[in-house]
Amino acid sequence: MHEDLAREYKGKIPETLLKEFEKQSEDFKLSKADAKKVLEKLEARYLASKINPGEAIGIITAESFGEPSTQMTLRTFHFAGVAEAQISLGLPRLIEIFDARKEIETPLMEIYLKSPYNSNADEKKLEKIIAQIKEINMEEVATSISLNLTKMHVEIRLNKKRMKDLEVSDASVLKQLKISIKTSDFEENGEFIVATPKSKENTLPLLYMLKEKIKEVTVKGTEGIKQVLPVNRNNELVLLATGSNLKKILEIDEVDATRTTTNDIFEIQKVFGIEAARNAIIHEALRVIQDQALEIDIRHIMFIADLMTTTGVIKGITRSGITGEKESVLARASFETPIVHIMNASLIGEVDMLNSVIENVLLNQPVPLGTGLPGLVTKMKKGD
Amino acid sequence: MASEKYDVAKHVLVPKHTKLSEEESQKVLDKFNVTARQLPKISKTDPTIKELDTKPGDVIEIERKSPTVEKTKFYRVVSSA
């Protein structure tokens, strides 16, 4: 109904509104004249609800986040029952996202599988896939890793039974060791694998270090993935993994590379680019807010995500992130560590043009916001 | 350089990126009344534009899916870093 009318307004008002209009006009069986009136009103309301130039949207966003997040702190730390996996939630997680921390507290991946593998049917196959994903390191397949002080080398005794269960072969263990630790020689010697450091000054601390290094060598699976948990979600099998290694996981054949994600936004930026990182920020922040049953308009979150990604790389809302990018010395100084900023600025003779808000507040001047933003130009009559 | 096994552009989080011609980018700049330097940036090493053969200064059009207006267009300029 009235598609022709709706088409006329395409580009003038958003498509979501147009769709809603089409649906409603059908439900109410609007006449053409009425439909036209509705569209006119709709456009007027849409234009009226647009943000005006000079509106202080930053502070509106800050307040919209600030108020509900005070509620969040009170509720975060008391949980009854057992969660599937320990994940950081609530305010700590929100701060983590917006500060753009490189090392997040609980990296977590959602691994989707390609079509035949994502049903519950084939358990054997599933186990094999999980074995490819989950990291197995030396410590798990060795019964003992000990120092032989008389011969000054490290002896590794392998747990054959465990290796058989995990489908790890002796040869692959030896190969992984050789690839991972280049500073020493590895040799199979009967029951042991013998590791001897290559350097001539073979000291005890060196041997200890080698032993610790050997423990952490990944013999099978994907580095960084500590635990894998299959869960059923909407009739589909999804693997939740603690730890994150997006690039490696995507290269596994059975993994659906179009949907698999991680909660580490920096990894997403590295693998999928800045726009995907923006989407991930929105998604992660929204998840925290919804988990806490709070309501913050998504526009605020989108705004913050836009701000964090304008430079092409993720910048947190910290003094080294977006605040550090500000041109004005006084604006930077008013956020954190003022003395450092003012000292550095005076050393290189920086000039503050007082173009923005905070520096003008400091100096008790009108700020360029709202009606303070536009300047007036008068055209003088000639001859006066 | 197709070293990856997976296709970056096919992922749900990745919107469509296209490189604009010089005329088209000029049109965009005129529409918003800005210079290319004032646009948001995208790194030239960004995995999404690897195959678009871009140089710093090119304008990239991004077709975002938006929860509020379904589809919007966003523009980024390729930065040298």
Side-chain angles (χ1 to χ4, degrees):
Chain A
M1 232 177 145
H2 306 306
E3 283 90 359
D4 46 332
L5 272 176
R7 211 171 300 129
E8 224 173 274
Y9 278 84
K10 210 171 182 179
K12 284 185 192 164
I13 51 179
E15 265 173 57
T16 30
L17 283 180
L18 275 182
K19 263 190 195 158
E20 185 72 21
F21 161 77
E22 266 170 50
K23 199 175 145 257
Q24 297 276 354
S25 65
E26 209 139 313
D27 290 352
F28 287 101
K29 300 204 165 46
L30 289 182
S31 70
K32 190 148 192 173
D34 282 345
K36 205 164 184 174
K37 262 189 211 157
V38 169
L39 277 173
E40 268 166 25
K41 271 247 162 97
L42 205 56
E43 191 189 5
R45 283 295 288 272
Y46 172 64
L47 289 177
S49 61
K50 271 190 169 179
I51 300 277
N52 294 317
E55 184 80 62
I57 52 172
I59 208 141
I60 297 174
T61 299
E63 283 181 351
S64 308
F65 261 100
E67 193 276 324
S69 60
T70 56
Q71 307 283 311
M72 202 148 44
T73 347
L74 297 174
R75 285 193 228 142
T76 308
F77 297 102
H78 303 284
F79 264 121
V82 186
E84 279 181 344
Q86 194 83 53
I87 40 169
S88 58
L89 289 165
L91 202 64
R93 172 71 183 140
L94 210 57
I95 293 171
E96 204 174 67
I97 297 167
F98 291 142
D99 276 3
R101 301 253 170 88
K102 285 249 161 74
E103 301 272 322
I104 60 175
E105 219 159 281
T106 52
L108 204 72
M109 288 192 76
E110 266 173 40
I111 303 167
Y112 288 86
L113 300 175
K114 277 180 190 153
S115 165
Y117 312 112
N118 64 359
S119 62
N120 287 322
D122 197 350
E123 260 178 50
K124 279 254 168 65
K125 182 75 192 164
L126 184 67
E127 254 168 48
K128 262 191 190 155
I129 298 170
I130 290 179
Q132 268 191 77
I133 292 169
K134 197 182 160 198
E135 172 188 299
I136 297 166
N137 48 25
M138 261 329 273
E139 211 176 356
E140 249 179 285
V141 292
T143 32
S144 72
I145 301 172
S146 54
L147 305 180
N148 187 331
L149 295 179
T150 48
K151 290 181 190 158
M152 291 306 268
H153 63 212
V154 181
E155 287 168 1
I156 308 161
R157 204 187 288 260
L158 294 172
N159 186 343
K160 301 278 173 190
K161 191 168 165 286
R162 184 99 181 99
M163 280 169 67
K164 208 173 173 190
D165 289 345
L166 296 166
E167 291 186 22
V168 186
S169 69
D170 289 21
S172 74
V173 168
L174 204 61
K175 203 177 119 204
Q176 282 302 327
L177 281 171
K178 277 181 185 160
I179 292 171
S180 312
I181 305 175
K182 297 241 160 66
T183 51
S184 49
D185 291 312
F186 292 92
E187 236 180 301
E188 215 167 349
N189 187 356
E191 288 175 54
F192 307 112
I193 291 178
V194 174
T196 341
K198 275 180 191 164
S199 89
K200 297 235 167 66
E201 293 155 58
N202 204 347
T203 56
L204 205 53
L206 209 72
L207 226 52
Y208 268 113
M209 258 160 64
L210 180 64
K211 182 186 163 189
E212 291 306 312
K213 257 196 211 159
I214 288 171
K215 271 188 192 170
E216 273 156 35
V217 168
T218 312
V219 282
K220 203 183 174 199
T222 315
E223 210 172 312
I225 308 291
K226 301 265 148 47
Q227 231 178 59
V228 182
L229 192 79
V231 290
N232 214 336
R233 191 176 290 171
N234 303 331
N235 279 327
E236 196 189 347
L237 196 71
V238 182
L239 302 178
L240 294 184
T242 48
S244 188
N245 193 341
L246 191 57
K247 208 175 163 70
K248 285 273 160 59
I249 293 286
L250 289 175
E251 278 165 5
I252 295 172
D253 284 329
E254 289 89 352
V255 167
D256 184 351
T258 65
R259 290 185 298 162
T260 296
T261 58
T262 162
N263 68 352
D264 185 340
I265 46 177
F266 276 95
E267 250 194 316
I268 292 191
Q269 184 204 313
K270 214 164 69 196
V271 178
F272 290 129
I274 192 71
E275 277 292 315
R278 173 186 172 272
N279 283 332
I281 292 171
I282 296 171
H283 183 224
E284 289 297 321
L286 204 62
R287 179 151 69 184
V288 173
I289 289 156
Q290 281 169 353
D291 268 357
Q292 304 277 324
L294 298 175
E295 244 175 82
I296 299 177
D297 197 289
I298 193 171
R299 275 159 264 247
H300 298 308
I301 305 169
M302 282 160 65
F303 172 56
I304 294 182
D306 272 337
L307 198 63
M308 287 172 73
T309 55
T310 40
T311 53
V313 288
I314 298 169
K315 292 261 180 201
I317 305 174
T318 57
R319 62 169 174 272
S320 53
I322 54 168
T323 313
E325 298 265 301
K326 283 187 181 172
E327 214 169 301
S328 158
V329 193
L330 291 175
R332 268 179 278 136
S334 67
F335 185 65
E336 272 169 5
T337 58
I339 296 167
V340 174
H341 281 119
I342 291 171
M343 248 169 49
N344 287 340
S346 56
L347 281 176
I348 58 170
E350 229 175 293
V351 178
D352 198 318
M353 298 305 288
L354 306 180
N355 282 330
S356 190
V357 180
I358 190 87
E359 50 266 41
N360 283 306
V361 173
L362 280 175
L363 298 177
N364 199 21
Q365 295 195 68
V367 293
L369 269 183
T371 48
L373 182 64
L376 289 182
V377 181
T378 323
K379 223 180 203 172
M380 303 296 267
K381 238 188 215 165
K382 267 181 197 169
D384 269 355
Chain B
M1 207 182 85
S3 60
E4 283 100 7
K5 270 179 162 178
Y6 51 91
D7 191 348
V8 171
K10 283 202 179 122
H11 196 269
V12 279
L13 287 174
V14 182
K16 192 178 163 208
H17 291 60
T18 35
K19 187 179 136 185
L20 294 186
S21 71
E22 215 137 283
E23 282 164 40
E24 285 167 322
S25 37
Q26 194 53 49
K27 235 184 231 169
V28 170
L29 296 181
D30 287 346
K31 185 182 162 196
F32 294 109
N33 193 18
V34 289
T35 59
R37 275 197 57 203
Q38 291 171 311
L39 285 179
K41 288 166 189 65
I42 185 167
S43 163
K44 70 173 175 193
T45 54
D46 201 276
T48 45
I49 58 169
K50 234 182 213 170
E51 270 147 43
L52 293 178
D53 180 36
T54 53
K55 57 180 190 305
D58 283 342
V59 178
I60 306 290
E61 183 181 272
I62 297 151
E63 239 173 78
R64 279 180 179 173
K65 270 181 244 143
S66 156
T68 50
V69 291
E70 291 218 343
K71 256 192 243 162
T72 56
K73 282 187 177 147
F74 195 76
Y75 300 92
R76 284 181 187 271
V77 66
V78 179
S79 73
S80 47

